[in-house]
């Protein structure tokens, strides 16, 4: 059984993951409106990934006999300055999420909740990947700058991304 404190914190993280999905969907809409169809597709995939994160946590709370309480999701902003600005903010946002996940691990330890600590390890690892991916794309976007052809190729490359849910661990 989850402690009330842990249950509340996991519920807050479900909200944070849903906000992340909403934020990336807003970025997708912006990129699409600016003609970056590939980057828009990449962000749409990111939106699905965040939804997956939220649902993974949702299922865990239920599994541990907790109660999921959904709260309002904040509205993300609608406009950015450029693709570079979008990916700069993506990296910043992922760094924030990493700090939230680390706080949850700290709480699990303080509560002697070994099951939650073990469950959260997946998210700790996932955040390493999330930050590295956002950083790698940001570097590429910076590198190509406003060079039409290179930017077009990068947009095309990012458009290849599709969502594949991670295989369920046995
Ligand atoms: Fe669910 Fe991108 O962190």
């Amino acid at each position: 059984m989850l402690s009330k404190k842990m249950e509340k914190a996991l519920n807050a993280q479900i909200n944070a993951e849903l906000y992340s999905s909403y934020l990336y969907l807003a970025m997708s809409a912006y990129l699409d409106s600016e003609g970056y169809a590939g980057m828009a597709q990449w962000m749409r995939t990111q939106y699905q990934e965040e939804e997956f994160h939220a649902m993974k946590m949702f299922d865990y709370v239920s599994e541990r006999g907790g109660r999921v309480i959904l709260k309002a999701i904040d509205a993300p902003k609608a406009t950015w300055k450029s693709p570079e600005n979008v990916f700069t903010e993506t990296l910043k946002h992922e760094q924030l999420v990493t700090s939230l996940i680390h706080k949850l691990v700290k709480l699990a330890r303080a509560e002697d909740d070994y099951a939650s600590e073990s469950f959260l390890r997946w998210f700790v690892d996932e955040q390493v990947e999330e930050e590295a991916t956002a950083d790698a794309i940001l570097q590429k976007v910076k590198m190509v700058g406003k060079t039409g052809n290179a930017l077009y190729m990068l947009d095309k490359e990012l458009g290849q991304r599709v969502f594949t849910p991670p295989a369920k661990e046995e």
Side-chain angles (χ1 to χ4, degrees):
M1 189 87 181
L2 285 172
S3 72
K4 281 289 155 206
K5 225 173 169 179
M6 201 67 221
E7 181 186 70
K8 200 173 161 201
L10 287 168
N11 266 301
Q13 190 61 31
I14 290 171
N15 187 276
E17 299 291 342
L18 289 173
Y19 172 75
S20 303
S21 77
Y22 219 30
L23 172 67
Y24 294 138
L25 193 58
M27 287 174 169
S28 177
Y30 161 76
L31 289 163
D32 191 54
S33 74
E34 293 291 306
Y36 300 104
M39 291 185 195
Q41 164 62 22
W42 192 94
M43 276 300 169
R44 207 183 164 106
T45 307
Q46 190 65 14
Y47 145 78
Q48 289 174 292
E49 203 169 293
E50 296 303 344
E51 202 180 51
F52 175 84
H53 293 169
M55 291 315 295
K56 193 175 173 76
M57 224 162 251
F58 183 109
D59 290 341
Y60 175 74
V61 171
S62 295
E63 211 179 335
R64 294 284 316 278
R67 176 85 164 87
V68 173
I69 304 284
L70 297 176
K71 298 255 174 79
I73 305 164
D74 288 342
K77 65 180 191 179
T79 308
W80 285 263
K81 287 188 214 113
S82 60
E84 184 178 328
N85 182 225
V86 166
F87 284 99
T88 300
E89 290 197 5
T90 298
L91 178 59
K92 256 195 224 153
H93 184 69
E94 287 304 330
Q95 287 165 340
L96 171 74
V97 174
T98 299
S99 71
L100 294 176
I101 296 289
H102 290 177
K103 272 187 199 155
L104 280 174
V105 175
K106 250 188 191 170
L107 179 64
R109 285 183 181 169
E111 300 272 300
D112 288 336
D113 184 347
Y114 307 114
S116 292
E117 188 180 343
S118 167
F119 167 74
L120 288 164
R121 193 156 298 143
W122 184 89
F123 285 87
V124 171
D125 296 343
E126 177 73 359
Q127 281 313 119
V128 173
E129 201 186 305
E130 290 274 83
E131 283 191 33
T133 308
D135 191 39
I137 297 175
L138 177 60
Q139 295 316 317
K140 280 188 188 179
V141 172
K142 277 184 177 168
M143 206 187 294
V144 300
K146 288 192 171 66
T147 323
N149 203 28
L151 196 55
Y152 173 76
M153 292 309 287
L154 178 60
D155 187 61
K156 217 172 151 182
E157 181 194 318
L158 293 176
Q160 303 301 311
R161 188 183 186 205
V162 285
F163 178 67
T164 32
K168 236 183 162 189
E169 309 99 54
E170 293 305 319

